Amino acid sequence: MEVSRHWRLNEQRYALIGETCDSCGTKLFPPRDVCLECEAPAKELYTFTGVGEIYSYTTVYEAPAGFAEYAPYTVALVKLEEGPVVTAQLTDVAKADLHIGMKVEMVTRKLRTDGSEGMIIYGYKFRPQLEMA
Amino acid sequence: MDGYRPEDGLMKPDKEVGIVGYGAYVPRYRLPATAVSQMWTDGEGGTPIKEKAVNGLDEDVITMSVEAARNTLLRAQINPQHIRAVWIGSESHPYAVKPSSTIVAEAIGAVPNTLGADWEFACKAGTEAMQAAMGVVGSGMARYAMSIGMDTAQGRPGDALEYTAAAGGAAVLIGPAAESVAIINGSYSYVTDTPDFWRRAHATYPSHGDRFTGEPAYFKHVTTAARAMMEAMGTTSADYDWAVFHQPNAKFPQRAAQELGFSAEQIAPGLLSPRIGNTYSGSSIIGLTAILDVAQPGDRILMVSYGSGSGSDAFDLTVTERLLEVRDRAPSTETYIARRTEIDYATYTRFREKIKMN
């Protein structure tokens, strides 16, 4: 596993830090430095609220290498409230509750581990929004 | 030598400090104690609690600390760049070498001008990290310091501890008294070399001294620390609205409370072990967060932790008006406890990585 490749993504993976466009206000995730709407430079950092809804989803039973220990798991396209759609695993969700439009929120979880001696990679997943007791 | 009395050990910083924000985390999975007894004792005999909280496959002390710390910041509403220390007390840090605290500090936006270290003192590492935070804030070295007690505790299959060893914990942000939801009036620690419980390097599960964990260990340290704390503050159990004692099971904290003159009502809101188990480093602090979720301004709270090996940290706190402003900015401790998905023993062994995959 390349340590540096993961380390470079710490900010966006841990805290959903993307960018905002000075010209038109579009929010970008992942950060691209150029606005997808107006093509102006967009380098100002923006921390997303992490709140969104499920746009679509599928459940993975035959997981790729590195993810087998978590299978079966559900991957979703999550439409963030600021606009961008991100691909992420869902967590803490019962299969029977899953539906398009479900309100979800970002949490930081283990994404994978590099064997028993390698790095533990952390990043964003989404779970159903907590219902306050 | 000068005469020395236990109450001379009162710790109180020059500048008054308190808890500026707090946040809990409990994973959603619950293993009923009956699932353990059915597996190992044919369902015979009693169980020490109703059920315990179990972390999911993608959760560990780091991910759980991140959420508790975020809840703390939601309540405190401060710029995380002002945090000068992120300290995590745990006996289940995911790495043997590599701080959990740097990952948590990065995730909450507290890097790079911060201290970051992991603490270990069995179940009291989190409260000792609180005392250290009182020191750096109370001396003026820092405006804020984050202290976390969090664990995904290990229990050997079939052992008495398997019923209770649970996952969860809480974070507190220590800062100036003027910004606090609860002012810390003072703290006191009682520490001796008492080998009641330990886990050697590279060992998967802890060992313990069975009945030895009671009288000379838990009760001696908890009650001595509590009595000395009250002696130093000039208080009795009647002066406190609420109390929380470390909760290795349901019985120990209730007996300690009774011996110290506290009623069942005084410890009720903080007594979480019957429903979530022993969250080790998180146990007393998460009890405190549950109390803060119901306390009123002016209420006085006694918290006493216990860590094997052994020691107890006592804290005397007074709730301020500000608690009512910040309380509902983050999920309550009860929100997490109520979010409950029961699992069976087989699922538990998978979640706790007891199944050998290769």
Side-chain angles (χ1 to χ4, degrees):
Chain A
M1 192 181 285
E2 298 164 64
V3 171
S4 55
R5 184 164 64 88
H6 292 286
W7 171 74
R8 280 189 208 103
L9 299 175
N10 274 356
E11 280 191 339
Q12 52 176 285
R13 278 210 182 135
Y14 290 176
L16 274 188
I17 295 177
E19 288 166 335
T20 182
C21 172
D22 278 344
S23 306
C24 71
T26 295
K27 306 289 190 289
L28 305 170
F29 192 89
R32 292 173 171 87
D33 294 351
V34 174
C35 180
L36 293 175
E37 294 297 325
C38 71
E39 298 178 12
K43 291 192 172 180
E44 192 174 331
L45 297 180
Y46 172 79
T47 303
F48 284 79
T49 61
V51 175
E53 63 178 47
I54 295 178
Y55 180 79
S56 188
Y57 66 90
T58 188
T59 300
V60 176
Y61 293 90
E62 294 296 329
F67 295 91
E69 63 188 288
Y70 303 110
Y73 56 86
T74 299
V75 176
L77 294 172
V78 173
K79 187 169 175 53
L80 300 172
E81 62 181 4
E82 294 93 339
V85 175
V86 300
T87 307
Q89 269 190 44
L90 301 182
T91 189
D92 286 359
V93 62
K95 198 176 173 184
D97 297 337
L98 272 171
H99 62 274
I100 287 169
M102 181 183 224
K103 295 282 184 198
V104 292
E105 60 190 2
M106 186 274 274
V107 289
T108 306
R109 293 291 173 91
K110 271 196 291 189
L111 298 183
R112 57 179 294 195
T113 55
D114 184 15
S116 61
E117 297 189 7
M119 270 182 72
I120 307 168
I121 309 298
Y122 297 92
Y124 55 81
K125 293 188 182 182
F126 288 80
R127 73 163 174 220
Q129 267 193 315
L130 279 186
E131 288 174 25
M132 300 285 186
Chain B
M1 281 171 63
D2 294 343
Y4 182 81
R5 301 164 304 156
E7 55 270 31
D8 292 338
L10 178 71
M11 293 184 280
K12 194 172 167 61
D14 291 342
K15 285 171 59 176
E16 215 175 20
V17 302
I19 294 171
V20 174
Y22 67 95
Y25 184 75
V26 182
R28 73 194 283 245
Y29 301 105
R30 300 286 178 277
L31 180 70
T34 50
V36 180
S37 67
Q38 278 157 15
M39 181 61 61
W40 299 110
T41 68
D42 209 13
E44 299 293 327
T47 56
I49 58 169
K50 178 174 175 279
E51 59 189 12
K52 68 173 184 175
V54 179
N55 52 298
L57 280 169
D58 59 0
E59 295 186 287
D60 61 18
V61 162
I62 290 173
T63 66
M64 291 159 50
S65 296
V66 167
E67 184 150 347
R70 283 186 178 139
N71 286 336
T72 301
L73 290 176
L74 281 173
R75 289 198 170 96
Q77 292 288 313
I78 60 132
N79 179 349
Q81 286 290 303
H82 289 305
I83 297 173
R84 288 291 163 272
V86 176
W87 286 326
I88 304 173
S90 181
E91 58 182 73
S92 39
H93 290 289
Y95 287 95
V97 178
K98 195 224 169 296
S100 302
S101 58
T102 55
I103 300 170
V104 174
E106 184 96 36
I108 63 170
V111 294
N113 300 125
T114 182
L115 298 171
D118 296 349
W119 298 60
E120 189 281 312
F121 190 148
C123 296
K124 89 165 186 79
T127 51
E128 185 148 340
M130 280 177 67
Q131 292 168 323
M134 288 167 61
V136 295
V137 173
S139 68
M141 280 173 64
R143 184 160 172 192
Y144 305 109
M146 179 84 77
S147 304
I148 302 172
M150 193 66 69
D151 257 303
T152 57
Q154 316 88 10
R156 188 187 304 276
D159 186 80
L161 293 181
E162 194 180 32
Y163 292 90
T164 52
V172 290
L173 186 73
I174 305 295
E179 300 172 36
S180 295
V181 302
I183 293 167
I184 302 175
N185 304 314
S187 184
Y188 174 88
S189 286
Y190 183 80
V191 170
T192 70
D193 174 13
T194 306
D196 60 328
F197 169 100
W198 60 88
R199 179 164 62 84
R200 296 276 298 276
H202 310 299
T204 306
Y205 299 113
S207 304
H208 58 84
D210 290 310
R211 284 170 183 271
F212 190 65
T213 59
E215 294 304 333
Y218 179 89
F219 291 106
K220 172 80 182 292
H221 291 76
V222 167
T223 57
T224 306
R227 287 196 177 103
M229 178 91 245
M230 290 192 277
E231 183 75 25
M233 301 305 292
T235 53
T236 69
S237 59
D239 294 308
Y240 297 92
D241 297 277
W242 313 109
V244 57
F245 304 97
H246 172 61
Q247 307 168 37
N249 48 39
K251 192 169 68 179
F252 278 25
Q254 293 184 81
R255 200 187 115 190
Q258 197 174 20
E259 281 181 21
L260 291 162
F262 288 89
S263 67
E265 290 72 27
Q266 283 169 298
I267 63 166
L271 185 62
L272 307 180
S273 56
R275 294 194 293 156
I276 63 169
N278 179 5
T279 56
Y280 283 52
S281 299
S283 177
S284 51
I285 310 179
I286 196 170
L288 176 66
T289 66
I291 289 172
L292 291 174
D293 282 342
V294 299
Q296 292 300 312
D299 283 0
R300 200 157 176 179
I301 304 167
L302 179 71
M303 171 170 78
V304 186
S305 67
Y306 173 74
S308 288
S310 288
S312 276
D313 302 324
F315 298 76
D316 180 309
L317 305 108
T318 302
V319 174
T320 74
E321 292 282 346
R322 191 163 175 276
L323 177 63
L324 303 182
E325 280 173 48
V326 315
R327 184 143 69 194
D328 295 335
R329 289 177 184 164
S332 66
T333 304
E334 182 60 33
T335 291
Y336 286 104
I337 297 174
R339 186 186 68 137
R340 175 187 177 280
T341 300
E342 189 173 316
I343 56 172
D344 57 19
Y345 195 87
T347 307
Y348 167 72
T349 58
R350 184 183 177 195
F351 283 3
R352 295 296 294 151
E353 297 174 14
K354 294 171 194 289
I355 300 175
K356 278 185 80 75
M357 302 294 279
N358 47 41

